[in-house]
Amino acid sequence: MNYLIKPASPSYKRRRRTRDIMKELLIGLYVLAVYAVGFQLFVFGWQRALRVLAIFVLATLTSLATEVIWGRMHESDFQKIMEKQFPLITPIIYAFTLPATTPFYIVMLGAFLATFFGKLVYGGFGQNIFNPALVGRVIIHLSFPTAMKPTVMIDGMTSATPASALASANWFYNHGYVFNVMDIVKGTYGGAIVETCVIPIIIVAICLSIRQIYDLRLSLSFLGTVAVIALFMGLVMGVNPVTNMAIHLCLGGLIFGAFFMASDPVTTPTSPFGKILFGIGMGFMTMLIRTKANYPEGVLISILIFNMLVPLFDGITMGRTDRNLIRRYILLVAAVALATIIICIIVSGFEPVAAFSMIGGVLS
Amino acid sequence: MGLLTGRIERHLISHKDITKDKPIIEMPAPDRIYIPLVCGMATDFDILVKAGDHVDIGTMIARRKSMDVPLYATVSGTVVGTEKRMHASRRPQNHIVIENDHKDTFVPIVDTSNVDECSREELFERMKLIGLMGMGGSGFPTYMKYTKTDNIDTILINGVECEPYITSDHVTMKLHTKALFDGLKLMMRIADAQNGIIAIKEGKVELQKILEREVFNHPNIDIAIVKDVYPMGWERHLIRTVTEKLYDKLPSEVGIIVNNATTAIALSYGLREGKPVTHRLVTVSGDIANPCNVHVRVGTPVHDILEYCDIHDEGDFYLISGGPMMGLSLRNDLFVISSYMNAITIKRVPEDESAPCMRCGYCTLHCPQNLQPVRIMNAEKLMDTDLLRKLDVESCINCGFCSFICPSRIEVTGYIQMAKRRLQIEARKQQTAQKRRESQKKEVKS
Ligand code: SF4
Ligand code: SF4
């Protein structure tokens, strides 16, 4: 027997490794991709299905090629890349956020940008500040605004997607809104690939969280905040609050974003409290962008913005996580309440400046 | 499971079955034994014998200067002298070497008359004389816990043994149930406590049955069955689970003294028969072909034990004194078994599987002290002592959970130990700087 010395205890590790976690996540994503392609096949026909399939494949190949070439330049072999860099995850997530009509060269460009500028330049997996898939997605979105505008066919006419239609209706559901809520949930209108598979995403997310692949705290607080805000927004504006909530949750890739992009551990705070607060913040930002900027990609932008704020959130949770628990719970509730109030004030058209000048006028 | 605090505990695959029901190997005392002059972390001993002296089992050979802990010879024979050799704490330490004459002559170390009648104070003095050290692995002098017993109402016997692989406590409790209860009752008398609790893990059906049969005869003793999770054997967590009490520094604040099960058994034998701890059951386990429990003389070199148990596996291993979670790995097998070493774990060296930290926060979710190991690790990499202090590194208990749980196989606990050392060095530097400044001031004044 030969004895080696190990500088620090313990010498016992649990079985599951990062690559097992990534493998299960990848399986979940592939299940969703297969569903998405199948869905396109049944609802829109084989041409569209092939197109979606091609988007997935092209994104993956481009991304993989980028990683391998980069690996060659930095003396890392293929196996090591697969085991330590997990190059297959980013392109799939990226491809999901695209509209099914995206031209192929844009798909490839975006996948390259995502992998290169989102991940590799920071030093690879674990070092990146932003969610790589989102980096690629947002760059191409800003560079090719018209090509990236998703459209759907209704009664043989090209029309805006439910998300952009809702955006032009100032993001709350009213009678002028032509889309049926149930159909939005089912995804029959199309739009971005993710928007077609709301229910499967939830199922896969539940499975993955049961397998403890990721922490649900963040995703649920994100979704919960959006739900609460949408509910109260509906009440304030006098539309059906439940419908309003359902539409807000289902559109714009929110569910996919919350489960598969926002919760990417690399770009989130590490403490449970930080995660929950982070989710609330993202929910607020999403609703702010939706209502104020009238922009269908609110989810993507807000996730990116919050990725930047991770150190700030880490700084809030100093020391031990079991201290000041009551204060922390109060803070969380207050954060949700504040977010709701702000959004409600904004959508109700209440202008603080006008109000102040009015008060000023009365006083003088 | 707290929303903001995480899980704290978790079931580990324990590998206890491979040694639990195996017959115990009785190992004869070797020709030479080495008694380490170490008690927990302390090494300040007065040596009471010199080379050439004859000793019997129970002859006091050394005594710790502070705290008054005696050490006894565990074989009869002749003192050879002292020798510096590698100790299980990974530092070279002084050992007293005794040449065994294999006669096992014995002198009692304490007065064993009327144990059941004598006063509390008398019992305490006798307990002190036995020189017990916490046999769960800490090596803390047992009697120290009984110096102030005004508010103590419960003695909690820790038979949890939450580290994987180790079964020595389990087997000892099964074989010496009577002594366990007797030791507990003696402890309760010394501390004037009304209640005794014996805590074991769920799933130990056989042991549970034996204990439950015995507990009928003892109205004020309870058996507590706790979940099979790590780190249940940690005092604070055990008390939190069994009595739902929280304390700041010491369990005595909430009226509880915690002792290891094997300590209670040793106390019973010590007071009733005047015996020091001469033998100890050691679990030799891990990734080896024939793991076992072996009954050895205290002071036997591990090398001899491995020879005797015929442990010869091929390959690279970590040789660990203690369990795989908290035990230290040693370079060679020359160190000896002390009375408080319950296991030798031999783990095969895994291939390097580390991946970058993905900030998953599992370590934060599982830390039983609710620390944030990943952030401590990053602060340590940046050598940011202020941040380290803010993250409360000092309260880490070295349980090893964060490294265990990390899916990227990062040695998080190692970084945390480094961080602790950094803070200690920093504090020492500040102290000396302070002193220098003061002395300079004095000089200026005078
Ligand atoms: S468990 Fe490991 S990978 Fe996860 S945050 Fe902690 S150190 Fe990083
Ligand atoms: S070793 Fe320290 S930091 Fe790591 S889990 Fe245990 S107590 Fe927490």
Side-chain angles (χ1 to χ4, degrees), chain A residues 1-4 6-7 11-15 17-18 84 212 217 268 275 314 317 319-321, chain B residues 2-3 13 15 90 313 316-317 324 329 331 354 359-360 362 369-370 372 375 405 407-409 411:
Chain A
M1 297 175 99
N2 183 21
Y3 299 123
L4 301 184
K6 187 166 190 297
S11 317
Y12 192 56
K13 301 283 167 100
R14 79 166 166 163
R15 293 237 179 92
R17 292 156 300 176
T18 300
K84 301 208 167 179
Q212 293 185 16
R217 288 182 174 84
T268 51
K275 282 186 175 156
D314 266 344
T317 36
R320 297 172 59 166
T321 55
Chain B
L3 187 60
I13 300 171
H15 301 283
R90 244 179 2 199
D313 289 71
D316 291 344
F317 289 91
S329 103
R331 190 102 192 81
S354 65
R359 299 172 47 87
C360 59
Y362 276 122
Q369 277 285 51
N370 293 105
Q372 304 187 40
R375 300 199 52 205
I405 209 74
S408 294
R409 304 266 158 113
E411 295 294 338

Side-chain angles (χ1 to χ4, degrees), chain A residues 270, chain B residues 357-363 374 377 402 405-408 410 412:
Chain A
T270 52
Chain B
C357 167
M358 61 162 171
R359 299 172 47 87
C360 59
Y362 276 122
C363 45
V374 47
M377 173 171 85
C402 39
I405 209 74
C406 176
S408 294
I410 300 169
V412 193

Side-chain angles (χ1 to χ4, degrees), chain A residues 318-339:
Chain A
M318 267 301 166
R320 297 172 59 166
T321 55
D322 61 342
R323 294 295 139 96
N324 304 327
L325 275 188
I326 297 177
R327 210 188 321 155
R328 286 183 179 175
Y329 277 117
I330 293 176
L331 197 77
L332 290 182
V333 175
V336 178
L338 190 69

